[in-house]
Amino acid sequence: MDNQKARIGVDIGGTFTDVAMEYQGKIFSTKVLTNYTAPEAAIIEGIAGVLSDASLPFSEVGTIIHGTTLATNSLIERRGAKTAFVTTRGFRDVIEMRTENRFELYDLNIVLPPALIPRRDRLVVDERVGSDGEILKTLDEAEVAALAASIKAGEYESVAIGFMHSYVNDIHEKKVRDILASEIPGISISISSEVSPQMREFQRFNTVCANAYVKPLMASYLNRLVDKLRQAGAHCPVFMIHSGGGIITVDSAAEFPVRLLESGPAGGAIFAAEVAKRYGLDRVLSYDMGGTTAKICLIDDATPKTAKTFEVARTYRFKKGSGMPISIPVIEMIEIGAGGGSIASVDGMKQIRVGPHSAASEPGPACYGRGGDRPTVTDADLLLGRLDADNFAGGSIKLRSDNSKSALSREVGAKLSIDENAAAFGVCEVVDESMANAARMHAVENGKELAEYSMIAFGGAAPLHASRLCEKLGMKELLIPPGAGVGSAIGFLRAPIAFESVRSAYVRFARFEAGKVNSVLKELQEEATRFVHAADPNAEVEMECTAYVRYVGQGWEIPVIVEIRDYAENDGASLRQQFEDAYAAYFGRAIDGLDAEIISWSLRASSPIHEAQPVRRASRTHAAKVPTRREMFDARAGKYLPADIVERTELKVGEYVSGPAAIVERETTTIISSSYEAIMQPDGCLLVTAKNA
């Protein structure tokens, strides 16, 4: 990467496309409305804007790092390629049958989400590999050739291949891929042993189907993006951020687009982790709220919590188990459909509901004046005095408060016999309480107490709601970093080149197989390093390996960090002790008399992580000058109060602003409620603390 030239991070969201450029130690940023028809057009527009601010041509761009929700939206909206799923005879309906778990136990009318690939498009091959990798039924190449003819006749654009136990022995998957590629030149093919070589067929089959489903769409988009950038004069490398928080090449992203599903939120978690490092914070709640969704992530010791599976496209009130499981490394977070563009309504029980549907960028909230007539969170924020109608998004969008009043009065107020201001307060309280509940649930699931945590808020809408969320959660400290409105895009610029290789390889401690362990570790190291060096051949590679271990008979495993070295036969005892120590840390004690087993492995290779410079906190010195005031609704007081309006760029280190107040900037506005005050810090962060702390 050329670090002498400008480095640009681009995050495509459901409403806005965020662009952040770093050049000679300065950050230039902007937000433009996402173009759903041609997403690359919004990127070119945004990059042109920040380059103009810095008086630079496109030729001075050295690196572009990109994250996008396009793959996620394609799965949610079922707008992917016509895909065939080829699997082992007898297992055609695995993705339809799912698991035996009911995500809503007492709902007699429960409706399971439909399989991504319809049954008519699921094809079978009479082959079989055992759980130990032994070939139990040899592949018939003539049968595969006939299958290829059926796929060609069906005019499929993409094929997903997932055979039983292929994570142990992938010979049949690769053979079928080779035959299909030969018989149908140009067709897109994904095999589960490369996309997600892990046990548990439901999750693995879903993952390869999702990869195949979005692969043609993403390949087309990425090719268009690179071509448009070159036409504009940017002949620099383009990288993608993946769900695990690392950077990969465009070619790797086009081959494994399922790895991009949580790319935007991953950048936000990296952004928050760096802020946590600067301030020496060991316990942080990252809160990212944009135009469509809100994401919450726990960051302990400046490291975001990670997982090897997650769900996308949940259909039942965002309930765990109601979505499509994807088995890839991911930064773990909880996501709810609550953003600035989330639509408010009143249900049959006369309760206000917000989301999950969003007005997005087209037509947008009612106040945008772009044809939207449904009330959104942004409309409610405008009526509550939190937004300046003339200076939204740096003045690029003039907000129409009359549209907001009409929409809220018609869709909420009239149905509850309240005025539009009360309706606006109700909408915001519902959103804030939904986020608070999500945060509480996420914390409880991880055994954490949020009162001991600090919050770091970013995204276009998060600073508007963060102090109220802190009130609800009993949190005393909140940080709003500079560039918070485009936090994920800035996070991309801090991400290392990284790739996490995963593989299921069964090892039981009672009969520890050192040779097998060493072979798996070598394969993982070679694969992960290959991806890192594809992005930067000269990168220094740092590695960390995690084994997923359980007691024999248990259904799920826990992560255990293990050394990367050559193991001997007598090392099983030390690995078992590491597992029992980790198990005791999770559950209070280990279990006597039970053998344990390693189910799968994960190895992360990355370039060195960006070093954060420590910040010495500034204490409050004197009150900031307040040029203007306006009436703003304060939730704790339950009424409109005169609020100080301060430009963030005018604040000096140590100056403080006491709530109720609004601190405004180009990409967002930070609301300080009456129970908090904000102090400007040396690095440009706003440190918001409870007045009675």
Side-chain angles (χ1 to χ4, degrees), residues 10-11 18 67 241-246 262-276 284-289 295-299 302-304 331-333 456-459 481 483-495:
V10 181
D11 178 28
D18 297 344
I241 194 91
H242 61 69
S243 302
E262 291 292 288
S263 59
I270 294 168
F271 178 62
E274 190 199 33
V275 176
V284 161
L285 179 75
S286 162
Y287 168 40
D288 176 6
M289 183 178 179
K295 283 79 65 176
I296 290 168
C297 176
L298 293 175
I299 299 175
T303 304
I331 291 178
E332 187 176 17
M333 58 188 73
I456 297 176
F458 53 93
V486 294
S488 289
I490 295 175
F492 296 168
L493 302 176
R494 304 290 176 256

Side-chain angles (χ1 to χ4, degrees), residues 398-649:
K398 302 297 182 182
L399 301 183
R400 295 277 305 273
S401 59
D402 55 333
N403 287 0
S404 297
K405 289 178 182 179
S406 297
L408 281 161
S409 179
R410 180 182 65 254
E411 300 292 337
V412 180
K415 295 177 181 179
L416 299 177
S417 301
I418 56 177
D419 64 22
E420 64 271 13
N421 292 327
F425 170 57
V427 168
C428 286
E429 276 294 282
V430 167
V431 166
D432 294 340
E433 190 58 37
S434 295
M435 288 183 290
N437 280 333
R440 293 184 193 107
M441 181 177 69
H442 193 47
V444 168
E445 287 175 347
N446 288 277
K448 307 295 184 181
E449 172 53 61
L450 288 180
E452 300 171 357
Y453 277 62
S454 300
M455 181 184 291
I456 297 176
F458 53 93
L464 288 158
H465 295 261
S467 64
R468 179 57 176 159
L469 190 56
C470 284
E471 285 180 342
K472 288 177 174 290
L473 296 174
M475 300 176 71
K476 305 298 184 184
E477 186 173 88
L478 162 68
L479 280 166
I480 310 290
V486 294
S488 289
I490 295 175
F492 296 168
L493 302 176
R494 304 290 176 256
I497 300 170
F499 192 83
E500 194 164 344
S501 294
V502 294
R503 189 148 308 162
S504 286
Y506 180 80
V507 177
R508 194 159 171 171
F509 288 132
R511 44 179 184 269
F512 187 70
E513 303 169 78
K516 183 177 183 179
V517 170
N518 293 334
S519 176
V520 169
L521 290 178
K522 182 180 178 182
E523 291 175 8
L524 291 173
Q525 289 178 74
E526 289 175 350
E527 180 183 64
T529 302
R530 185 172 68 252
F531 277 95
V532 172
H533 282 162
D536 184 354
N538 301 315
E540 296 180 21
V541 180
E542 300 173 350
M543 296 187 188
E544 182 180 83
C545 186
T546 302
Y548 291 86
V549 196
R550 68 186 183 188
Y551 283 112
V552 174
Q554 289 184 328
W556 292 90
E557 46 285 345
I558 65 169
V560 180
I561 303 295
V562 298
E563 288 184 75
I564 301 173
R565 61 179 176 87
D566 285 335
Y567 284 89
E569 298 299 333
N570 60 356
D571 283 327
S574 62
L575 285 174
R576 178 190 172 90
Q577 187 59 53
Q578 283 182 253
F579 161 65
E580 293 195 334
D581 291 344
Y583 195 91
Y586 270 94
F587 303 110
R589 67 179 183 87
I591 301 176
D592 296 329
L594 279 182
D595 193 15
E597 55 195 5
I598 301 173
I599 299 300
S600 57
W601 307 75
S602 172
L603 187 141
R604 177 182 170 89
S606 73
S607 61
I609 296 174
H610 180 267
E611 287 296 325
Q613 296 300 315
V615 173
R616 184 168 183 171
R617 295 191 183 204
S619 301
R620 65 202 299 264
T621 54
H622 57 278
K625 294 180 180 178
V626 180
T628 58
R629 287 185 172 84
R630 70 167 176 256
E631 291 290 303
M632 189 169 71
F633 193 89
D634 186 80
R636 173 156 287 190
K639 60 183 178 180
Y640 283 87
L641 297 174
D644 296 342
I645 311 300
V646 179
E647 287 283 345
R648 182 166 183 162
T649 54

Side-chain angles (χ1 to χ4, degrees), residues 271-272 274-279 281 455-458 478-484 613 615-618 648 651-656 663 665 670 672 677-688:
F271 178 62
E274 190 199 33
V275 176
K277 274 186 183 178
R278 292 207 304 261
Y279 282 83
L281 298 173
M455 181 184 291
I456 297 176
F458 53 93
L478 162 68
L479 280 166
I480 310 290
Q613 296 300 315
V615 173
R616 184 168 183 171
R617 295 191 183 204
R648 182 166 183 162
L651 287 172
K652 304 295 189 296
V653 175
E655 289 186 339
Y656 68 91
I663 301 174
E665 55 188 298
T670 300
I672 312 298
E677 66 178 16
I679 308 169
M680 176 56 73
Q681 298 300 302
D683 65 339
C685 277
L686 290 172
L687 175 61
V688 183

Side-chain angles (χ1 to χ4, degrees), residues 52-66:
S52 175
D53 290 345
S55 300
L56 293 175
F58 268 87
S59 58
E60 280 301 304
V61 179
T63 307
I64 294 174
I65 304 169
H66 178 28

